[in-house]
Amino acid sequence: MGEPALSEEIGCLSIIVLGASGDLAKKKTFPALFHLHRQRFIESHDVHIFGYARSKMSDDDLRNRLRGYLTPCKGCEETHEEDVSKFLPLIKYVSGPYDADEGFLSLDEEISAYEMSKNDKGGPSRRLFYLALPPSVYPPVCKMIKKFCMNKSKGGWTRVVVEKPFGKDLNSSEALSTQIGELFDESQIYRIDHYLGKELVQNLLVLRFANRLFMPLWNHDNISNVQIVFKEDFGTEGRGGYFNEYGIIRDILQNHLLQVLCLVAMEKPVSLKPEHIRDEKVKVLQSVLPIKDDEVVIGQYEGYTDDPTVPKDSNTPTFATMVLRIHNERWEGVPFILKAGKSMKSRKAEIRVQFKDVPGDIFNLKSKGRNEFVIRLQPSEAIYMKLIVKEPGLEMKTAQSELDLSYRQRYQEVAIPEAYERLILDTIRGDQQHFVRRDELKVAWEIFTPLLHKIDNNEVQSLPYKRGSRGPEQADKLAEKVGYVQTHGYVWIPPTVSAV
């Protein structure tokens, strides 16, 4: 897993979670910090964690709120209580508003007092601010950080992590980027998209550029289409009002699925340096053609507007399928089908690369389906290749099967880290490879903003679909129209873990 991150640097680290009383902080941010601490990537003698929010509570109140979310990982159940008892005392809470001086003055005093207590070690102090907050308060919070809470030691740093959504369209995103960019250098800003921290997404670069097998196949000569799919089997219960402001395209497609598309479609970077990788991602996005109206299907599950926080006449999509086309030498003519939906038949996220039919087919394979390379991001992480093989027996019968790398079976002793663990550790290390650069964000919004404005103006209507279905029928018809061939009668079954 590598050496603990902080052993490479001398000095103390302050991690400040703004919005500490909110759902994101307690469900994702603090648990990620706990697991990094448990694995000694951050250590008690080097780090202190500060929670900041408007709620009035004590240090112990916050610690008790978090305790139930600090769950044990695989294989560390026996030491879990001890791990929690070492971690919770590192957390201190400061209460204050997000747009007034007094709260941030108090926060700076607490951080500075901690840094002074560590001065006997020498070395720079480092301050990492994690904004687990709505984007609407980013500008005032960033102004307060810049005014009162920047690192004051020579050779140290201040970094700011901001969560999505980064605006609602191109103009609002650019306005937000400009406001934050006037306060911090691009090297200090970490725009987090947790999908870039997922194990199987991180594996994409290795699969594509470390295996000779894929290099000659990964182009329009061999690939018919690419599907990038995100499905949830539950609706917007409990967050209908928030979701209705954004919808499935802003929530999932414009960021998560588009980031995955970049890694699937990009050219090989010059090196693994963050800027070289992000340069190639931007080139892909710049090559995406405008989305055609007849290559979009949006939907809304029946009962969505029953939520009292959702307007009865809402056109906000809870489902979307669309085709993106990349106008370059490698991908000309290959449709990239992005699909996301709530209240669907199943829960999964996957990348499905479908190859063209075999030329000169002597086995009558069309009825059996095509070769597909599938990367299953969640649940049951796996990489498998759907192939045609001979069925066992005396007759020449073919069937579809798979070459399968299922992580749960192959890596039984390895705990797969959560995306937030990896990304927070990258932030501490100063590695921006898995974070979204400003120019990348701008091009992403340029692709989607025209369509989003049409939906907002009711020029494109959401089609109804039943809960627990595949979404509107028109979505499957669109995928079929652009070349996707569905395999009937084949189901991938995750291998069971057997004792050795």
Side-chain angles (χ1 to χ4, degrees):
M1 192 173 283
E3 290 297 314
L6 299 188
S7 64
E8 300 167 9
E9 299 186 58
I10 300 172
C12 57
L13 171 66
S14 300
I15 299 174
I16 304 96
V17 181
L18 297 121
S21 60
D23 274 2
L24 175 65
K26 69 185 180 185
K27 291 179 180 177
K28 296 294 183 183
T29 314
F30 283 108
L33 293 171
F34 166 66
H35 287 294
L36 288 174
H37 181 263
R38 185 191 57 76
Q39 297 169 84
R40 296 183 57 247
F41 282 106
I42 57 176
E43 298 200 57
S44 300
H45 58 81
D46 284 320
V47 69
H48 210 64
I49 299 166
F50 298 85
Y52 184 92
R54 289 180 296 223
S55 305
K56 299 287 185 184
M57 58 177 153
S58 67
D59 296 347
D60 284 338
D61 289 338
L62 178 59
R63 293 166 186 165
N64 290 332
R65 279 192 186 193
L66 297 174
R67 184 180 292 273
Y69 294 92
L70 308 180
T71 54
C73 69
K74 181 179 179 181
C76 59
E77 292 84 0
E78 288 185 10
T79 62
H80 177 64
E81 286 304 318
E82 182 184 348
D83 294 335
V84 171
S85 67
K86 290 178 180 177
F87 175 74
L88 287 177
L90 300 178
I91 299 172
K92 183 166 186 62
Y93 183 72
V94 179
S95 173
Y98 293 123
D99 57 356
D101 296 1
E102 62 269 18
F104 285 87
L105 279 167
S106 297
L107 178 61
D108 183 65
E109 286 174 8
E110 294 288 353
I111 300 170
S112 297
Y114 161 66
E115 291 171 344
M116 289 289 288
S117 72
K118 295 291 182 180
N119 267 352
D120 58 319
K121 284 190 173 186
S125 301
R126 294 156 287 158
R127 297 187 178 188
L128 172 59
F129 291 87
Y130 193 110
L131 275 59
L133 295 164
S136 58
V137 297
Y138 289 171
V141 167
C142 287
K143 285 177 184 175
M144 292 294 112
I145 294 171
K146 181 70 173 181
K147 187 175 180 181
F148 298 110
C149 298
M150 299 293 283
N151 163 64
K152 298 167 183 64
S153 70
K154 189 174 180 180
W157 50 250
T158 301
R159 293 172 186 155
V160 178
V161 180
V162 291
E163 277 274 357
K164 76 168 185 74
F166 314 110
K168 293 183 70 175
D169 58 11
L170 178 60
N171 288 340
S172 59
S173 174
E174 277 293 283
L176 194 59
S177 291
T178 298
Q179 288 173 302
I180 298 175
E182 288 171 349
L183 300 167
F184 302 106
D185 295 334
E186 183 66 23
S187 62
Q188 295 176 293
I189 304 168
Y190 288 72
R191 299 175 190 85
I192 198 167
D193 184 330
H194 75 270
Y195 251 57
L196 290 176
K198 286 185 175 293
E199 183 68 34
L200 273 291
V201 173
Q202 298 239 322
N203 209 342
L204 269 169
L205 287 187
V206 180
L207 285 168
R208 285 198 54 202
F209 301 124
N211 294 287
R212 184 66 181 256
L213 169 68
F214 293 116
M215 290 181 182
L217 299 178
W218 214 256
N219 54 54
H220 65 85
D221 291 331
N222 300 289
I223 292 174
S224 167
N225 58 82
V226 178
Q227 276 204 82
I228 304 173
V229 177
F230 174 94
K231 298 179 180 179
E232 290 179 329
D233 55 3
F234 53 88
T236 62
E237 294 81 2
R239 57 192 290 265
Y242 165 82
F243 183 85
N244 199 67
E245 279 189 60
Y246 293 95
I248 198 76
I249 297 175
R250 291 182 175 96
D251 198 38
I252 303 295
L253 280 86
Q254 186 273 340
N255 37 71
H256 298 334
L257 301 196
L258 196 64
Q259 286 295 317
V260 173
L261 178 146
C262 288
L263 297 174
V264 171
M266 63 186 271
E267 297 299 320
K268 183 190 285 188
V270 175
S271 75
L272 290 176
K273 290 180 179 177
E275 292 314 303
H276 289 158
I277 292 171
R278 300 202 292 182
D279 286 345
E280 295 303 330
K281 289 166 65 182
V282 171
K283 288 178 188 176
V284 170
L285 294 176
Q286 289 172 333
S287 300
V288 174
L289 295 171
I291 300 169
K292 297 178 182 177
D293 288 351
D294 63 350
E295 293 191 334
V296 175
V297 173
I298 61 171
Q300 188 183 94
Y301 66 80
E302 295 174 356
Y304 169 71
T305 56
D306 293 344
D307 186 324
T309 63
V310 174
K312 293 298 180 186
D313 60 351
S314 172
N315 189 44
T316 298
T318 61
F319 172 96
T321 287
M322 64 187 62
V323 178
L324 267 54
R325 297 183 181 274
I326 300 171
H327 182 52
N328 65 16
E329 184 178 359
R330 181 182 294 272
W331 296 113
E332 191 71 45
V334 178
F336 282 73
I337 305 164
L338 273 55
K339 178 179 181 179
K342 291 187 171 293
S343 206
M344 306 289 285
K345 184 178 181 181
S346 59
R347 172 183 171 263
K348 68 177 177 180
E350 66 183 14
I351 306 158
R352 190 172 290 271
V353 180
Q354 187 170 90
F355 291 87
K356 292 183 175 180
D357 293 324
V358 174
D361 177 15
I362 60 173
F363 293 103
N364 189 27
L365 297 177
K366 285 194 175 180
S367 62
K368 303 292 184 182
R370 289 171 164 173
N371 294 150
E372 288 184 358
F373 181 60
V374 182
I375 301 171
R376 184 152 177 140
L377 307 178
Q378 66 181 33
S380 304
E381 294 93 341
I383 301 165
Y384 63 96
M385 174 72 88
K386 287 169 61 176
L387 300 173
I388 304 296
V389 299
K390 178 188 174 297
E391 283 189 358
L394 297 175
E395 295 186 40
M396 180 58 75
K397 285 187 175 181
T398 58
Q400 193 155 57
S401 188
E402 70 279 322
L403 299 176
D404 196 333
L405 168 59
S406 289
Y407 274 52
R408 192 181 299 168
Q409 185 183 48
R410 181 66 178 85
Y411 302 111
Q412 294 183 29
E413 304 304 317
V414 178
I416 296 177
E418 284 290 323
Y420 280 92
E421 294 174 40
R422 188 189 314 276
L423 295 176
I424 291 173
L425 184 57
D426 282 349
T427 309
I428 296 169
R429 289 172 165 169
D431 185 348
Q432 290 188 308
Q433 174 181 333
H434 303 117
F435 296 83
V436 182
R437 202 167 64 188
R438 180 174 176 175
D439 57 342
E440 185 182 346
L441 178 63
K442 181 182 178 183
V443 183
W445 277 118
E446 286 174 349
I447 293 168
F448 283 94
T449 292
L451 171 62
L452 289 167
H453 284 175
K454 288 177 183 177
I455 295 170
D456 292 343
N457 295 329
N458 291 318
E459 295 170 33
V460 180
Q461 288 294 317
S462 289
L463 304 171
Y465 65 95
K466 293 186 180 301
R467 283 176 173 269
S469 70
R470 288 177 52 84
E473 290 181 10
Q474 291 87 337
D476 285 338
K477 290 177 181 176
L478 172 60
E480 186 180 339
K481 185 182 83 171
V482 299
Y484 175 67
V485 176
Q486 188 174 352
T487 305
H488 296 283
Y490 169 88
V491 178
W492 175 73
I493 301 173
T496 55
V497 178
S498 55
V500 177

